[in-house]
Amino acid sequence: MDNYRTIKFPKSSFIYEQGNYPKDSFYIITKGKAVSYAINSNNYNKEYNVGHIIGLVNLAVSEPYDVSIEAIEDVEVLEFNLYDINNITNNDLIKKIYEYLNNTLETWLSRYYIILVKNKLDLYYKENVFTMADIYLKNGFSEVSSKLYLEYIKTLENKDDIEYAEIELLKLPPPINPSTFTSNIFLYKKGSCLYTEFKPSNYLYVILSGRIGIYSIINGNLLLKDIYKKNYVIDGYEPKLEYKPLLTTAVALETSYIKILKKEEFIEMLINDRQLRLYHIKMMSMKIINVLSKIKAIEEEKMIFKLFILISASIKIDTLFDEQNTLVIPYTINDIKNSINISVEDIIENLKKIKSIEIIKDKYIRIIDINDFFKEYHEYQKNNY
């Protein structure tokens, strides 16, 4: 694809407006500056300069814009249709889009944690390995505890602590090593730990089957960040930003086949496989929308609307590649409590007001009919905003 259409936006004009749905295009800025902002929130303020990609995330998953983007200088952009991506022959542009999606996800995750953590020092310091191991063990993840102790022992940091870690390790079942299926595809049994937040793996994990939970310890609690299934890619690389909550632990919640790759190998796949490019863009965009939804849920004052936002995001993550009519969302009520800092009692009381769901054992949330849920959500929005 050698020819690109250039579009000009004069100073003070809107490139995108909050709440509008994407049409057909996203842009790369070639001249000038723009800023993003959202109504009644400073968490979305950002400056965009030459080389920045704008509009791709919302276009890829047909979500309304979370922000308005305004030209603060005369701006020129290159216009791309989403499906033009399949025809890109410029490898540097493919890599640029890949890095843009990764950086955007990390940026929004960092903003989410800044809002979520109660003690701001926890953005830069994590609990010690023994506290982390104890929290994971209490939550039924003995494999993670074992791996944390083993990783700490290898550091040789403190003789007394290492001896304590060795004693604690003896109390736990031995780690479950994955079985090799082919040269880079492995079988992880339920409960197996792929990597911990103590030590990044510096690999990508492509889920071929099963479900993987992504966790981190925040505010002294185990936070379930996300649950991913077939076709999702998990990034085990060390984050670029220094916020400690960005470090994660990955656990197989079901027996799972996982393809393990280096980043360079995956980018080469994106270059050679046109269909994979679009698949990956949609997957990463949905991850980003999911984080933005969590920020919106925390900022929202109405409790029931917080829950509509979170449940909606969970449904969209789970159904991106699979159409379903009904669904038990993978997050428990306790997981929701930890993700937005509200009590279990308040959550249950407000969930009972949503007709299209049912609560199972005061723990799980079942969407009786997904279409009915979104109709109820949109009706609530219409009547209350």
Side-chain angles (χ1 to χ4, degrees):
M1 185 175 61
D2 300 318
N3 297 316
Y4 309 102
R5 182 184 173 200
T6 298
I7 298 178
K8 297 181 180 181
F9 294 93
K11 181 180 177 180
S12 300
S13 65
F14 285 99
I15 301 173
Y16 299 117
E17 292 190 61
Q18 184 179 353
N20 288 348
Y21 277 84
K23 294 182 180 177
D24 301 315
S25 304
F26 69 96
Y27 306 128
I28 297 179
I29 297 176
T30 56
K31 179 182 176 181
K33 292 181 182 179
V35 293
S36 66
Y37 53 85
I39 298 170
N40 300 324
S41 177
N42 293 322
N43 287 313
Y44 302 86
N45 295 354
K46 187 178 177 182
E47 186 174 285
Y48 295 87
N49 300 297
V50 172
H52 278 131
I53 298 171
I54 54 174
L56 174 58
V57 167
N58 297 81
L59 177 63
V61 289
S62 300
E63 285 286 313
Y65 296 114
D66 302 279
V67 298
S68 294
I69 298 183
E70 182 181 355
I72 56 173
E73 299 175 357
D74 289 343
V75 170
E76 291 185 7
V77 299
L78 294 179
E79 182 185 42
F80 295 84
N81 182 280
L82 182 62
Y83 294 94
D84 287 338
I85 290 170
N86 290 342
N87 300 318
I88 293 174
T89 57
N90 184 325
N91 292 351
D92 289 338
L93 182 53
I94 295 170
K95 293 175 185 177
K96 181 182 181 68
I97 293 172
Y98 175 86
E99 292 298 338
Y100 155 74
L101 291 167
N102 278 358
N103 294 338
T104 301
L105 178 60
E106 189 170 307
T107 298
W108 287 119
L109 276 170
S110 69
R111 295 193 186 193
Y112 169 56
Y113 299 134
I114 288 169
I115 301 167
L116 183 64
V117 296
K118 295 175 181 176
N119 177 5
K120 298 305 177 185
L121 289 175
D122 290 341
L123 286 169
Y124 303 96
Y125 302 99
K126 264 198 177 292
E127 292 87 345
N128 66 49
V129 70
F130 306 107
T131 301
M132 290 195 293
D134 186 56
I135 291 172
Y136 277 105
L137 186 60
K138 286 179 179 177
N139 282 274
F141 295 125
S142 62
E143 166 87 2
V144 178
S145 300
S146 295
K147 201 154 189 173
L148 284 167
Y149 287 134
L150 286 168
E151 288 172 347
Y152 182 77
I153 289 167
K154 291 176 183 177
T155 66
L156 302 175
E157 287 182 359
N158 182 295
K159 183 179 178 182
D160 291 337
D161 284 347
I162 287 172
E163 288 178 357
Y164 179 76
E166 289 173 337
I167 292 169
E168 292 300 304
L169 191 58
L170 292 173
K171 301 176 184 178
L172 300 171
I176 310 167
N177 293 321
S179 304
T180 304
F181 183 68
T182 64
S183 60
N184 65 347
I185 297 177
F186 297 86
L187 175 63
Y188 285 85
K189 292 186 177 179
K190 182 179 179 180
S192 297
C193 178
L194 283 68
Y195 58 85
T196 74
E197 58 206 271
F198 184 76
K199 184 180 179 183
S201 71
N202 292 329
Y203 282 99
L204 297 179
Y205 300 80
V206 182
I207 304 173
L208 304 179
S209 70
R211 285 181 184 263
I212 306 297
I214 308 299
Y215 297 87
S216 187
I217 293 170
I218 298 179
N219 299 329
N221 295 309
L222 185 60
L223 176 69
L224 173 58
K225 295 186 173 182
D226 289 295
I227 295 178
Y228 297 123
K229 59 180 184 178
K230 182 179 177 181
N231 296 322
Y232 276 91
V233 179
I234 300 169
D235 192 337
Y237 278 80
E238 186 168 6
K240 293 179 181 179
L241 299 175
E242 295 182 358
Y243 295 130
K244 294 298 182 181
L246 289 168
L247 294 166
T248 59
T249 293
V251 182
L253 302 181
E254 301 172 358
T255 297
S256 305
Y257 280 96
I258 308 292
K259 187 173 187 176
I260 302 178
L261 300 165
K262 283 292 194 181
K263 185 181 293 184
E264 296 76 15
E265 295 174 305
F266 188 74
I267 291 175
E268 192 65 28
M269 288 171 60
L270 293 176
I271 290 171
N272 295 322
D273 188 338
R274 297 182 177 189
Q275 186 175 2
L276 178 63
R277 290 180 208 168
L278 196 55
Y279 224 67
H280 182 255
I281 286 170
K282 288 185 177 183
M283 181 267 298
M284 287 296 294
S285 296
M286 188 56 76
K287 283 186 177 184
I288 293 164
I289 292 296
N290 188 35
V291 178
L292 289 167
S293 296
K294 290 176 181 177
I295 294 173
K296 285 194 288 186
I298 291 177
E299 292 182 329
E300 174 56 44
E301 293 182 1
K302 294 186 170 96
M303 185 70 68
I304 192 169
F305 199 31
K306 286 179 182 282
L307 297 173
F308 268 123
I309 293 168
L310 284 178
I311 294 171
S312 169
S314 177
I315 292 171
K316 289 174 182 177
I317 280 277
D318 214 58
T319 59
L320 179 61
F321 300 118
D322 297 308
E323 290 189 10
Q324 301 175 60
N325 293 323
T326 187
L327 173 71
V328 176
I329 69 169
Y331 304 88
T332 67
I333 290 173
N334 192 62
D335 293 327
I336 292 175
K337 178 202 73 143
N338 291 339
S339 69
I340 53 175
N341 287 336
I342 58 177
S343 72
V344 167
E345 292 74 22
D346 281 343
I347 293 171
I348 292 175
E349 180 183 344
N350 281 275
L351 283 175
K352 289 177 179 177
K353 299 174 185 177
I354 303 176
K355 298 175 183 178
S356 52
I357 69 167
E358 64 178 352
I359 303 169
I360 303 173
K361 299 179 180 178
D362 286 344
K363 184 176 182 181
Y364 300 103
I365 301 168
R366 178 175 176 263
I367 315 301
I368 301 168
D369 186 286
I370 290 174
N371 289 329
D372 286 348
F373 171 83
F374 281 107
K375 286 177 184 176
E376 190 174 355
Y377 179 16
H378 295 147
E379 191 67 23
Y380 181 86
Q381 286 179 300
K382 185 174 71 175
N383 294 335
N384 289 273
Y385 288 90

